Amino acid sequence: MLIASLSLPEQGVLTLAALILLSSFLLLAQVRLDSLINTFALQGALIFLATVFMAFISGKYHLLISAALTLFLKVFFIPGQLRLLVVRLNIRREVEVIGNPMLVMLFAAGLVLFSYYVALPIRELSLLSTRNTITISLAVVLIGMLMVISRRKAVAQVIGFMSMENGLFFAAVVSTHGMPMVVELGIAFDVLVAVILFGVFFFHIRTEIGSLDTDRLNHLTEVDR
Amino acid sequence: MNALYATLLLPLVGVFILAFAGHRRQAKTINLVLCTVTFATALLLALEVFRDGAILSTGKLLYVDGFNVYLILLNAFVGMTTAIFSGPYMEHEAAIGRVDAVRMRLYYSMYQGFLFTMLMALSTNNLGILWVSVEGATLATVLLVSLYRTHESIEAGWKYFIICGVGISQALFGTILVYFAAVKILPPGAEDGLLWTELHRHAADMDAGVLALAFVFLLVGYGTKVGLVPLHNWLPDAHSEGPTPMSAILSGLLLNIALYALVRFKMLVDPALGNHLAGNLMMGFGMLSFSVAGLLLHRQYDIKRMFSYSSIEHMGLMTFAFGIGGPLATFGGLLHMIVHSLTKSAIFITVGHASHIAGTQKMAQIRGLIKTQPFVGWGLMIGTVAIAGFPPFGVFTSEFLLFTATVKSYPWLAPPLVIGLAVAFTGLFRNLQPMVFGSPPADQQPVNANMWPVFIHLALVLWLGIAIPGVLAQWLNQATIMLAGRGVL
């Protein structure tokens, strides 16, 4: 099946999927906090666009409500909240050193291949567009997880966590045209609360250890000292 | 039906009342009254389900059957008894200046919030809401783990938040995949593709490949929350650094909820796959958790950490039991969920008193409890005897059922099971002996302790070990029929 045989909006969704994956790689490599937050907002905007496209492809207009939620949460509220925190904690210009960025990027590329390897044998995923989009959303989730693992700064870990959430939302939109509304609202509520709690934690961590470097949270071990 | 709504609404109302009144002197009474009334309504609900069978709410959002009704009852009961303990305990913490008024409000409000999310997770019929509730339970407790704002508690809170958050995201991906498989077979336009009752009816028609993939994600996701090795790192930290009433509920109830979610999904995946893949995965992870946690019990220095590892061990055992999946093992697993909850929350309550007596959680400095305060010493002793699986306590009964099932279906797994139990037993007792019987420091004083919840729990565990009441046996048998195809009675 060729890309050209798909309708224009479907091609749009596929292109957006590729861009979302690209933004995941950008997030992984971005070392400056303010650019990191901007890239995260960009990923949110791409997912918003993809959701709007899917709403018109599927004719399920309740997706537009999900799209509006995404626009509000992922493009404005969460990045805005993070920017505010970063300013208030005075770490806007902070640059994080990623240990061995080359290896991390190669690993992320490996995760993309792994996602395809997992999804290819499934008969139900035989449609070109679903197969690619589900695979990409899985890759976005896994790369978000890699980001949580590889970063040391609490803000970067939170962005990794939220980008996993982006991947999950994208998966729901492209595979099943969104979850039932009540579930979507529940998830959005959880995300909202999580962001607020993360903000609270930033202040606690900062008060306790004087920075947001989570590597210094290392008091709890199996052996008594 | 109304009893179900009341059971869910009461804690939800409690969240808001206690958010404003949590710092007042009456807060502990309000909390206790709310929990007691919730327990009463849960009891009514249980009677209703026992009389009329499974109930499905209008709108199909809530569903209570033989499997979850007794867990709801257990949840409300342990919530109530822990509330009895939590009042004086938190007063003591406030008196020694570890928490201020704002944090007391947070504590009480989130105590109810935590109960609400757990009851919601148990009673919902929608697998998406199930996920939202389990995640909500994390969010409700994460600030309670770091309530004392020490370096260690903030570290524990952050670890809990990130590891459970990331873990549970995998479960959402699994849920999306299940929904994906469901919309392919359900009539177009149907909005009920996430309703467990619908999915269970059509389970055999769903695509096996998608569901197998989904189950792996669900196992990793909810498994993180169950505390399965190697995803368990957050658990000992979160359970040891938070206030002790929270440790009691986390260990006693929250782990059960995650396992419940996993078993519900297993019921969907098994007919679709037609093989034992889900069971094998659960057996593997369960056995691994059981063995590793048993060994790690020997290395502990903090009393709450030690009992957290004991929780991992028992959750591993239950996962293993549901993995084997025959009627005998399933019945054992279901019974173990109850007796472990009761025993473990009793132990944590006792441990809370013990650490107040000694002024520390370090086991090396807790000595001679039985001389200073006999009830606390005996409570800890009997509790540990019960959790280690001695007859005639209920833990022995369920472990014996599990052992019998293992010998029957997988004889080669029986030796590791017995060795693991022995290793865990020695790990617990080598630390327990001096704490209970050693000679107390000269200036050690008894504290104001209410041991009633502990002895009620332990008496129940004893009762379940000697004679399971007919009502409960019927429920467990019903649940076993649902899970394993046929009952044991």
Side-chain angles (χ1 to χ4, degrees):
Chain A
M1 205 190 285
L2 286 168
I3 291 217
S5 67
L6 295 171
S7 74
L8 218 49
E10 278 180 305
Q11 292 183 29
V13 171
L14 272 182
T15 316
L16 283 169
L19 288 175
I20 289 166
L21 186 61
L22 182 66
S23 66
S24 259
F25 276 92
L26 284 179
L27 282 177
L28 201 58
Q30 194 61 261
V31 287
R32 267 183 45 183
L33 275 186
D34 47 356
S35 323
L36 193 63
I37 297 170
N38 290 340
T39 315
F40 175 73
L42 172 75
Q43 189 176 54
L46 290 170
I47 288 179
F48 161 72
L49 278 181
T51 315
V52 173
F53 276 37
M54 278 314 281
F56 287 111
I57 294 172
S58 64
K60 293 193 173 162
Y61 293 104
H62 73 90
L63 268 181
L64 290 176
I65 305 174
S66 317
L69 261 178
T70 314
L71 185 66
F72 167 70
L73 266 182
K74 303 279 172 58
V75 184
F76 295 116
F77 182 78
I78 296 177
Q81 194 71 17
L82 286 172
R83 270 188 210 110
L84 199 70
L85 285 169
V86 161
V87 169
R88 277 168 62 187
L89 291 163
N90 202 18
I91 46 171
R92 205 164 68 85
R93 297 259 160 229
E94 211 156 284
V95 172
E96 184 182 359
V97 183
I98 306 175
N100 215 339
M102 185 70 175
L103 199 65
V104 173
M105 294 306 263
L106 277 177
F107 201 83
L111 287 179
V112 179
L113 287 180
F114 172 75
S115 307
Y116 272 94
Y117 172 77
V118 166
L120 272 181
I122 297 177
R123 187 172 46 84
E124 285 281 330
L125 295 179
S126 51
L127 284 174
L128 175 68
S129 50
T130 8
R131 176 184 285 165
N132 276 306
T133 45
I134 288 204
T135 315
I136 283 178
S137 57
L138 177 58
V140 170
V141 172
L142 293 178
I143 292 175
M145 194 152 93
L146 178 63
M147 189 168 161
V148 176
I149 296 167
S150 64
R151 291 301 186 97
R152 293 163 51 192
K153 292 273 193 268
V155 180
Q157 290 183 345
V158 168
I159 290 182
F161 180 78
M162 289 295 158
S163 120
M164 288 180 73
E165 204 72 56
N166 273 348
L168 292 170
F169 178 77
F170 188 59
V173 167
V174 294
S175 65
T176 58
H177 308 309
M179 310 276 265
M181 206 60 220
V182 54
V183 180
E184 294 245 344
L185 289 176
I187 295 174
F189 176 75
D190 275 356
V191 171
L192 195 70
V193 176
V195 172
I196 294 167
L197 290 186
F198 276 129
V200 175
F201 257 98
F202 288 163
F203 281 98
H204 290 174
I205 295 177
R206 161 78 157 234
T207 325
E208 195 54 47
I209 63 172
S211 82
L212 282 178
D213 191 341
T214 50
D215 264 16
R216 293 222 227 136
L217 291 174
N218 56 3
H219 279 202
L220 293 168
T221 52
E222 295 306 331
V223 282
D224 199 0
R225 345 183 165 183
Chain B
M1 196 73 254
N2 288 334
L4 176 56
Y5 289 132
T7 312
L8 289 174
L9 272 179
L10 276 164
L12 188 59
V13 173
V15 173
F16 296 102
I17 297 178
L18 287 166
F20 292 105
H23 60 297
R24 290 171 191 268
R25 218 158 30 82
Q26 305 91 323
K28 64 172 186 180
T29 323
I30 302 176
N31 193 35
L32 182 57
V33 168
L34 279 167
C35 289
T36 314
V37 181
T38 310
F39 175 62
T41 55
L43 209 56
L44 283 179
L45 170 71
L47 289 175
E48 203 175 313
V49 174
F50 183 64
R51 208 181 47 226
D52 311 332
I55 49 175
L56 185 64
S57 75
T58 40
K60 296 182 182 173
L61 195 62
L62 305 170
Y63 177 66
V64 182
D65 60 14
F67 183 22
N68 53 8
V69 68
Y70 83 94
L71 287 173
I72 292 176
L73 197 60
L74 181 69
N75 233 38
F77 179 72
V78 176
M80 179 180 73
T81 48
T82 312
I84 299 177
F85 160 65
S86 133
Y89 184 88
M90 290 316 284
E91 249 172 16
H92 182 267
E93 298 294 277
I96 59 173
R98 284 182 89 179
V99 284
D100 56 18
V102 179
R103 285 187 229 162
M104 283 302 266
R105 275 161 61 183
L106 177 76
Y107 171 80
Y108 277 119
S109 171
M110 284 303 115
Y111 188 97
Q112 293 291 330
F114 187 32
L115 288 184
F116 168 71
T117 49
M118 287 194 296
L119 288 169
M120 193 68 207
L122 284 173
S123 55
T124 185
N125 186 25
N126 187 317
L127 296 175
I129 299 292
L130 172 64
W131 184 87
V132 171
S133 311
V134 174
E135 171 76 357
T138 314
L139 297 175
T141 42
V142 73
L143 282 184
L144 294 184
V145 169
S146 65
L147 193 73
Y148 295 141
R149 306 275 163 84
T150 58
H151 187 133
E152 285 77 13
S153 67
I154 289 175
E155 181 181 340
W158 182 255
K159 228 168 153 179
Y160 177 43
F161 203 174
I162 289 287
I163 296 181
C164 277
V166 167
I168 207 87
S169 299
Q170 314 292 323
L172 183 57
F173 195 78
T175 311
I176 293 171
L177 285 176
V178 171
Y179 187 48
F180 175 72
V183 287
K184 297 270 171 206
I185 54 152
L186 290 175
E191 275 283 293
D192 41 11
L194 270 176
L195 297 185
W196 190 85
T197 40
E198 292 297 315
L199 291 174
H200 193 230
R201 197 177 313 139
H202 298 286
D205 307 329
M206 288 197 277
D207 184 72
V210 178
L211 280 194
L213 185 59
F215 189 77
V216 173
F217 278 97
L218 290 162
L219 181 66
V220 172
Y222 287 122
T224 311
K225 202 94 196 188
V226 177
L228 296 180
V229 175
L231 310 158
H232 67 287
N233 302 46
W234 64 273
L235 193 147
D237 298 344
H239 288 207
S240 62
E241 294 305 323
T244 307
M246 271 303 120
S247 317
I249 307 190
L250 279 170
S251 255
L253 302 178
L254 183 64
L255 307 181
N256 270 359
I257 311 281
L259 185 60
Y260 161 82
L262 203 55
V263 175
R264 278 274 181 208
F265 276 106
K266 181 173 182 281
M267 289 162 79
L268 296 181
V269 171
D270 274 347
L273 260 61
N275 59 23
H276 204 245
L277 173 79
N280 286 343
L281 281 172
M282 284 176 79
M283 276 171 64
F285 272 103
M287 201 39 150
L288 182 69
S289 313
F290 168 71
S291 319
V292 171
L295 288 172
L296 282 171
L297 270 175
H298 287 261
R299 292 195 49 139
Q300 300 309 313
Y301 57 94
D302 181 307
I303 184 164
K304 279 162 85 177
R305 279 186 87 85
M306 180 176 82
F307 284 112
S308 313
Y309 272 104
S310 156
S311 290
I312 299 178
E313 180 218 336
H314 284 275
M315 292 320 287
L317 213 52
M318 287 175 232
T319 313
F320 180 70
F322 289 118
I324 292 180
L328 212 52
T330 307
F331 192 91
L334 292 168
L335 182 63
H336 204 87
M337 274 172 128
I338 306 179
V339 289
H340 173 253
S341 278
L342 291 172
T343 319
K344 196 46 73 61
S345 43
I347 287 178
F348 269 108
I349 292 173
T350 320
V351 164
H353 291 313
S355 58
H356 272 173
I357 293 174
T360 175
Q361 287 176 204
K362 287 207 184 344
M363 288 192 284
Q365 289 163 33
I366 305 178
R367 285 292 176 264
L369 290 173
I370 214 157
K371 286 198 186 110
T372 312
Q373 198 161 3
F375 276 133
V376 175
W378 277 114
L380 193 60
M381 191 70 205
I382 300 173
T384 313
V385 165
I387 205 74
F390 273 84
F393 289 100
V395 181
F396 172 76
T397 316
S398 54
E399 281 177 357
F400 185 74
L401 284 173
L402 172 60
F403 180 72
T404 318
T406 313
V407 171
K408 232 164 109 187
S409 331
Y410 302 90
W412 51 279
L413 279 176
L417 195 64
V418 175
I419 294 170
L421 286 171
V423 167
F425 158 75
T426 50
L428 285 171
F429 272 82
R430 69 189 278 183
N431 291 318
L432 182 82
Q433 166 76 17
M435 281 196 291
V436 175
F437 295 114
S439 55
D443 56 341
Q444 191 159 284
Q445 296 297 326
V447 294
N448 174 24
N450 183 352
M451 292 296 285
W452 277 112
V454 174
F455 289 116
I456 294 171
H457 280 202
L458 293 177
L460 282 174
V461 174
L462 186 63
W463 186 16
L464 289 177
I466 296 169
I468 302 174
V471 182
L472 187 66
Q474 280 303 328
W475 268 335
L476 292 180
N477 198 43
Q478 272 176 26
T480 309
I481 294 171
M482 285 175 60
L483 287 163
R486 59 203 161 84
V488 286
L489 297 182

